Amino acid sequence: MNKFKLKVSANLFLIIVLFLSSLQIKAANYNDVRFTPKLQKAYFEIQKLRIEPARELIEEERKTDPGNAFITYLDNYADLHYLLISEDKNAFKEWSKKEDSRLLDLTKLSNSSPYKRFFQAEIRMHWAFIKMKFGNEVSASWDIIKAYHLLQDNLKKFPAFNPTLKSLGLLHVLIGSVPDNYTWVTKVLGLKGNIKLGIEEIQFVESEEPFFKQEAQLIDLLLHAYTLQLSDAQRTLIQQLPKSQPDNLLLHFFATTILMKEGRSEDALYYLNYAPNGEDYLPFPFLDYLRGEIALQKGKYDIAFFFYSKFQQKYKGINFIKDSNLKLFMSRWLADRDSDAVQYIKLAGSKGSTIVEGDKFAQRLSEEYADGKILPDQKTLYKARYSTDGGYLTEAWDFIDNYTEKSFNTPGDKAELNYRKGRILQKMNQIDRAIPYYDRAIFLTQGTSLTFGPSAALQMGYISRDKKNNTLAISYFKKAISYKKHEYKNSIDNKAKAALTELGV
C-alpha cells in the first residue's frame, strides 16, 4: 500500500492546486458557514496572490465571528498558495501541524451541512499537493484517498450539491491517469478513476453553476493542457482571462505557463511582462525563471543567464535548483563559453532535489557530462530543442536542417535528430514530412530507455487519430506506454492513456 504514489507533473500540480479550491459559493442557510462580503473579498485577494491583504481581512472577521467555518477554509487556502509558491521549508514543517487541527475544527460543522465533508476534502487535497511539492508522496497519496472518499460520501448524501462534482471530477481524471503499475492499488483502495467522466463532471459544474463557472473553466483548461489537448476555443479563453482581470497575478502565471507549454513563448511573454507586481503581492521568483526559459529558447544566452541567476538569488525553495543550474550551464555552453559553463553542470549534480522531472533530467545530464557523454556536437540538438519548445520553428529548423544521422555517433543522438526534425515539421503543419522522422526515432530506440521513442510514438498517435485512423492511433499510444523507465514516462503514459480513453479503449 505504501508504494502507491500519485504522479503529477510539476507545473500541473502547482497550477491545479492554486485553482483547485477557489470558492465562490452562493450564500447558504447554514448557521456555521457564512460567506460574508469581507471573507469573499479575502478569497479574491488570495486568488490574485495578494496574501497579506487577504490575511488582514480574515483576521478582522475572526474577531467578530470566530466560529465561522469558512475562516478555517480560507486560512488553509492562503497557506496553500504561500507554500506552493515560496517552497518555504521551515513554514512547511511548522504549518503541517495545522492540517489535523483544521480538520478537527470542521468536525464541529453539522452533519446536515454539505460543506462539512466538502471542506474536509478540500483541505486534504490542499495538503496532498503541498506534500507532493515537498517530496512527501506517500502521505500526499493518503490525503488524496481520504479526500476521494469524503467527496463520494458527500455526493451520496447531498446529490444536488454541485460543488462536490468540481473536486470529485478532478480526482476522477487524476486517478484515471495513474500509471499502469499502480492501478491495482487504486482498485484495492476503492478509487475509481475515469477521465471521460471527470471531464463531464467538471463541465457540468461549468454550465450549471454560475458561481463556479470560472473555476470549472480553469480546471478544465488545465486538464486539457497537461493531460488531454486544448481546443482552439480553449486557447482563446486562456488569453482572455488575464486581460479580463489585469490585477490577477495568478491568471497571468496561468496564461504564461500554458502558452509556453503550447510552444507559444512569444505570446506568453506578453502576459509575463504585464503581470501585476508590488508589495501586496506574494513574491514570485519563478517568473524570473520563466523569463530565463524564453530567453534561452530565443538564443539570447546572456539574458537567459541573467534571469536564471536572478531566480536563484531570490528563490528559497527546493525544486528547480538542479534545473536552473543546468540552464545556467546551457546559457554559457551554447554560447561556446565552455570553460565558464563547467561549474554550473557540476552544481546541477550536487545541489537541490530530484522531485520534479526537470531536476531529474538535470541530475542525469550532470552525470553524463562527468562521464564524457555530453559532447560539443550535441549543441545543435539542444539549440533546436529549446527553439522548438518556444515555438521559434524557423530558427529551430535552421539549426538542424543540414544535419543527418551520419553527423552523430550515438544511437541516442541519431534518434534525437529524427525526433527533433519530426516535431518541428509537425508544428509547422507539414505532417506527412514529419511521419518518417518519427517512425525512425521509434525504430532507433527499441529496447532502450531513451525518451525520444515514446515521445515520437505519442505524437504519431495524435497524428493517426487526427487522420481518423483510430486503429493505428491506438497501436501508437500503446507503443508509447510500452517503453520502460524513461525520464518522462509518467507524463507520456498519462497523455497516452487519456487519448486511449477518448478513443474508447
Side-chain angles (χ1 to χ4, degrees), residues 9 14 28 58 61 74 113 197 228 233 244 264 307 331 352 358 372 384 416 462 484 495:
S9 75
L14 170 61
I58 295 168
E61 194 76 8
L74 287 176
S113 171
L197 173 63
L228 304 168
S244 68
R264 297 173 58 186
F307 280 116
S331 299
E416 181 173 1
Y462 290 141
K484 307 297 182 184
K495 293 174 183 177

Side-chain angles (χ1 to χ4, degrees), residues 253-359:
F253 171 68
F254 174 90
T256 298
T257 54
I258 297 298
L259 288 168
M260 288 180 68
K261 186 186 180 301
E262 288 282 294
R264 297 173 58 186
S265 288
E266 203 63 26
D267 292 332
L269 191 58
Y270 169 87
Y271 298 96
L272 193 56
N273 288 338
Y274 282 93
N277 60 74
E279 61 182 16
D280 285 340
Y281 289 92
L282 187 64
F284 207 163
F286 194 70
L287 299 181
D288 286 321
Y289 171 90
L290 295 177
R291 291 184 176 94
E293 292 283 273
I294 295 174
L296 182 65
Q297 293 167 354
K298 297 176 78 168
K300 297 183 176 181
Y301 301 122
D302 286 341
I303 295 175
F305 186 89
F306 170 80
F307 280 116
Y308 289 127
S309 298
K310 188 177 179 182
F311 164 72
Q312 288 196 349
Q313 290 165 8
K314 294 181 179 180
Y315 183 63
K316 306 301 181 185
I318 61 174
N319 295 304
F320 297 99
I321 301 301
K322 291 181 180 295
D323 179 87
S324 58
N325 276 312
L326 173 64
K327 300 301 175 50
L328 287 167
F329 163 78
M330 289 293 179
S331 299
R332 290 292 186 246
W333 188 61
L334 296 180
D336 294 325
R337 298 170 62 177
D338 295 29
S339 59
D340 294 338
V342 174
Q343 60 182 308
Y344 299 106
I345 196 69
K346 291 180 178 178
L347 287 172
S350 61
K351 302 289 185 181
S353 64
T354 53
I355 298 171
V356 302
E357 287 182 341
D359 287 332

Side-chain angles (χ1 to χ4, degrees), residues 210-221:
F211 285 93
F212 283 93
K213 181 178 178 63
Q214 177 170 291
E215 182 189 354
Q217 283 178 332
L218 294 172
I219 294 174
D220 190 24
L221 288 171

Side-chain angles (χ1 to χ4, degrees), residues 17-21 55 75-85 95 125-127 129-130:
V17 294
L18 291 176
F19 287 104
L20 174 62
S21 306
R55 291 194 193 277
D75 282 338
N76 210 73
Y77 192 47
D79 289 352
L80 166 77
H81 287 71
Y82 175 82
L83 289 171
L84 288 175
I85 291 173
W95 295 359
M125 292 172 76
H126 289 177
W127 283 102
F129 285 100
I130 292 168

Side-chain angles (χ1 to χ4, degrees), residues 56-69:
E56 291 173 6
L57 290 167
I58 295 168
E59 288 307 313
E60 290 174 13
E61 194 76 8
R62 196 191 314 273
K63 292 175 183 177
T64 60
D65 191 12
N68 188 347

Side-chain angles (χ1 to χ4, degrees), residues 423-435:
R423 193 74 179 112
I424 295 166
L425 291 168
Q426 182 188 12
K427 285 176 172 282
M428 287 178 166
N429 204 32
Q430 299 183 36
I431 305 301
D432 290 339
R433 288 184 64 195
I435 290 173

Side-chain angles (χ1 to χ4, degrees), residues 407-424:
S407 306
F408 301 95
N409 296 318
T410 68
D413 290 345
K414 295 175 189 291
E416 181 173 1
L417 176 68
N418 282 284
Y419 174 75
R420 298 292 170 212
K421 286 190 172 183
R423 193 74 179 112
I424 295 166

